[in-house]
Amino acid sequence: MRSVRLCVLASGSGGNSLWVDAAGTRILIDAGLPLRETARRCKGAGLDVRDLTDVFLTHEHADHSHAAGILARRLGVRVHATRGTMRSLRDPPPEELRFAVRAGVAVRLPGLTVTPVALPHDAWEPVAYVVDDGATRAAIVTDLGSVTARIVRALRDLDALVLEMNHDVQMLLEGPYPWSLKQRIRGDRGHLSNEQGAHLLENILHGGLRHLVLAHLSERVLANYGSHARLCIGSQARALDPVLLEPSRAVPLRKARQLALFG
């Protein structure tokens, strides 16, 4: 039986990277860790960084793109990004290993299709990604400032979802950050709050969603909607255990009368 394997190597402001493989294709979504640390995290998860074929970047911020250039030069992997992201990289890959992507236009690799999804964030042409092997679908959504109808449509009928929820609004407002940074984080091109992330989940939960990598508030959402999805918390310090996606029948969700975000 064919399957797709996902492994969150790192998640957080110190670096973001997620491994996906299917058939002969092995990709990273974002490359925010140094090459040596990427290799170490891969080895710890039973993966080999030398097997990589492609890197897909969500945007140019260093915690998502730091090692893209060196991965291309050292390992010969292809680097895919929007034109805006590629132009903004501090250390771009060699020209022959650069491949431009556009939101809504699928990139077809052996055994895996990768589709960029436009999203609002304070970067040049940022995207999320949906990966699909024809039988299972997963999405990686980080650094999302606000939720649009297009994003909700793109995230329906998933088997797995990696979703960033960045902050609690009250804690952010009462915290030590400068006011300008607080406004940037809270803005429509900043980062999702826990509550915004929970509302997004309300709109996309279904019986076939079996794996979630996200923040604590989402567990409340899952319980209220009768979801049996496995919940994981992405870590900055270590790689998560790989997730194996295989075709499966969806389990109907019961409809909650009221969604309690806090309890």
Side-chain angles (χ1 to χ4, degrees):
M1 180 183 293
R2 63 181 175 181
S3 60
V4 177
R5 180 169 52 169
L6 289 78
C7 182
V8 178
L9 299 177
S11 177
S13 58
N16 297 270
S17 191
L18 182 141
W19 174 288
V20 183
D21 68 52
T25 296
R26 299 172 180 88
I27 71 174
L28 284 184
I29 304 292
D30 283 336
L33 297 174
L35 175 56
R36 180 175 296 181
E37 183 63 15
T38 301
R40 188 184 74 81
R41 300 279 180 103
C42 285
K43 184 177 180 180
L47 310 169
D48 191 336
V49 71
R50 294 172 296 183
D51 292 335
L52 279 176
T53 59
D54 299 83
V55 171
F56 286 79
L57 299 178
T58 59
H59 62 293
E60 74 276 9
H61 294 166
D63 58 326
H64 293 261
S65 68
H66 171 78
I70 194 168
L71 281 167
R73 291 190 296 272
R74 293 280 185 88
L75 303 180
V77 300
R78 299 172 294 241
V79 176
H80 307 256
T82 62
R83 294 187 185 278
T85 295
M86 200 72 80
R87 285 195 300 266
S88 304
L89 292 178
R90 294 182 181 178
D91 180 23
E95 188 171 354
E96 67 273 15
L97 293 173
R98 302 178 198 173
F99 293 84
V101 302
R102 286 192 301 149
V105 179
V107 178
R108 304 192 187 282
L109 303 172
L112 194 67
T113 298
V114 183
T115 305
V117 179
L119 51 76
H121 184 55
D122 57 353
W124 293 102
E125 209 177 349
V127 292
Y129 289 103
V130 174
V131 297
D132 187 335
D133 74 335
T136 58
R137 297 178 74 243
I140 298 88
V141 186
T142 64
D143 291 42
L144 172 62
S146 53
V147 178
T148 67
R150 179 177 298 177
I151 291 170
V152 171
R153 288 195 299 270
L155 300 185
R156 286 189 171 136
D157 301 320
L158 296 172
D159 296 278
L161 171 64
V162 179
L163 174 65
E164 178 198 20
M165 296 182 190
N166 184 270
H167 63 280
D168 173 84
V169 173
Q170 195 60 37
M171 290 178 66
L172 175 69
L173 292 176
E174 295 174 356
Y177 291 152
W179 180 248
S180 59
L181 180 56
K182 293 178 182 180
Q183 291 294 86
R184 176 186 163 220
I185 292 172
R186 291 182 64 205
D188 288 343
R189 291 168 55 84
H191 295 266
L192 281 194
S193 69
N194 293 338
E195 185 171 358
Q196 287 174 308
H199 284 307
L200 172 57
L201 284 172
E202 291 178 48
N203 289 305
I204 64 173
L205 277 179
H206 67 106
L209 183 62
R210 289 169 284 150
H211 301 278
L212 288 165
V213 181
L214 53 152
H216 67 281
L217 186 57
S218 303
E219 191 165 11
R220 172 74 64 178
V221 179
L222 298 181
N224 284 344
Y225 273 79
S227 173
H228 298 286
R230 176 189 175 209
L231 178 65
C232 301
I233 307 300
S235 172
Q236 184 69 89
R238 64 176 183 86
L240 295 182
D241 292 336
V243 170
L244 194 65
L245 298 184
E246 296 177 336
S248 174
R249 289 192 307 169
V251 178
L253 291 179
R254 69 171 186 266
K255 187 69 175 179
R257 291 183 179 178
Q258 182 176 355
L259 180 69
L261 293 178
F262 304 97

